[in-house]
Amino acid sequence: MSVLLWLLVSVPLGTGAVLGLAGRSLNRQAPWLGVAAALATLGLAVTAAFARPEAGAPLFTGMRAELAVDGLSAVMVITVATVLLAVLAFSTGEFGPGENRGRFFGLMLLFAGAMLVTVTATTLPPLLMAWEAMGATSWALIGYWWQHPERVRAADTAFLTTRTADLGLYLAAGAALAGGTGSLRLDALPQTASPWLHVVTAGVIAGALGKSAQLPFSFWLSRAMQGPSPVSALLHSATMVAAGAYLLLRLHPLLAATTWAGPLVAWTGALTALALGIVAIAQSDLKQLLAASTSAQIGFMVMAAGSGGVAGGLTQLVAHAATKSALFLAAGAWLTALGTKQLTALRGAARRYRLTGAAFAVGSLTLAGLPPLSLWAAKDEVLAAARAENPGLYAVGLAAAAAAAVYSVKALWYVTRPRPADAEAGYDTEQHGTRRIPRAAPFPLWALTTLAAVLGILALPAPAAWLKHLIGAPAEPSPTAWELALSAGVALAAAGFRWYSSRPAPVPRAVAGWAQGWLGLERAAHLLVARPVLALARALAAFDDRVVDGAVRQTARAGLATARLARRVDDDGIDAAVGAVASGARGLGRLARRPQTGLLHQYYAQAAVGFCVLILIVLLVR
């Protein structure tokens, strides 16, 4: 069984590494190799969901890397693999031969492989490694067109923001070891001794909220729109932003082990769903609208984790993954065809490209939470858990659901309006449009759209009971008939108001300006975090230049002065003495050569004289 699990994570990771390293040399084969790897991954995911394999390996001293497919991760591995296959199938017609398709498909597979490790990890070490790999590959994918500085800056913003929040997970790991559990298993974290339990919980919450673009970290998702549309479709649906919500759902026992964590998480999710819903309503860019709606919809999942609605949060996650990936692929198809993603310029897009338009319409109505589509039922599962936790939480969630209906219908309203008389007005404002939808686009679009429409069956009583049994979730409140009717009425009323409203966006101007800038969070982060950090960096640089480097330079100067003195001593003293000894030796050598005439009788005479001198010396000494 362990071989099956290792294959599940190794196929996308291994194929992605090969394609990424091969780059342009596999440009022709990369799309089909990527799709084949994704198809194999889906097959392995389905098999693993039924087989429930476990795998482990020693990692560091006293630490193990352990993976397992249980009820919760079984749903996730199938969701990730399904969306990956659909997105890569769509991407086969998205890039021209001049693009580095090997690098793109390789990074996408590595990204999805890291997510598969994240959802199957049962200990913190592999979770942390996959978490980091996911962040690094997301940076490379958002900045895929690295020749454009604004795209690189967007990738940097997304990476640094999530990376800052990710430090919470390292804090949690350290606190878990200090707390005396003797284990880094996820299911052992709630047994951490106090006060370390609170540190572990706070670290996990910070890492999860940052990854899932919840307040106050939401702004990085806006910048992530600079990447290719397939990247947005994968990142915003079943992978990176869903990872934080999934972690909170999995670690609900940890949240319940403290009195403050559950309410904090639930209220953060509810307020994010409402605030980012308003942000989405104010957007004039389709991809920005979808990005803000991602933060808002993830907010429902986070609210479910905080209020104990694990099954409802998981249903919301799966239904949202299919819906949002389809919507982003449709937006990407229109951007390729028309060269714009501005809502005012996309009038008539759904009429001009009917298959894509129909898929977008179903996805938009699903995102709006209209009955009987999937997010209506899933949202009510979440709201039922919120009502049981706190009536105020339920009220905020219901308001967020109304906002979801408004921003979803707003996007649909624009793309279904009749084409203007000047049909080409506003097109090609961001890139050159091809005026055609890629041939590979309709099938994955409609596959995802169909799933988005029907996955609501998971919230029906019998499937919901089965899902709760599958994931081992505790007893959760189910929505009553009046709650279903109320949320349906609110969504229909909000959608109808937006559809028939004569105003382009039913938001006051002052609020619209503030919301279009994503609540000024990026500016606030720059003011409160970036500027102080940069100022500190400049101060440290000055200290380094003036103090540390100054001390090094003075030490170097002293060393040079010492070397010059040593050279003088060496030249004037030691070398002079050596020279004098050498000169004396040369003089003695010259004197020694003088008596050497080559005549034998002179040698005898010299020997006799020398012998006599020695005798005299001996006599005198005695």
Side-chain angles (χ1 to χ4, degrees), residues 297 316 319-320 322-324 326-327 359-379 404-405 407-409 412 448-456 491:
Q297 293 291 325
Q316 171 80 10
H320 175 262
T323 304
K324 190 53 63 67
L327 290 173
F360 186 86
V362 175
S364 297
L365 296 176
T366 303
L367 189 64
L370 299 183
L373 302 172
S374 61
L375 283 176
W376 165 64
K379 169 194 64 187
Y407 60 66
S408 303
V409 172
L412 184 61
L448 290 170
T449 301
T450 303
L451 287 174
V454 304
L455 279 173

Side-chain angles (χ1 to χ4, degrees), residues 28 114 117 211 235 300 325 390 456 546:
R28 286 188 177 183
V117 176
K211 211 70 159 182
L235 186 150
F300 283 105
S325 54
N390 188 309
R546 296 174 185 176

Side-chain angles (χ1 to χ4, degrees), residues 385-415:
R387 176 185 52 78
E389 182 73 15
N390 188 309
L393 201 62
Y394 175 78
V396 174
L398 201 59
V406 173
Y407 60 66
S408 303
V409 172
K410 173 185 175 178
L412 184 61
W413 186 90
Y414 273 103
V415 299

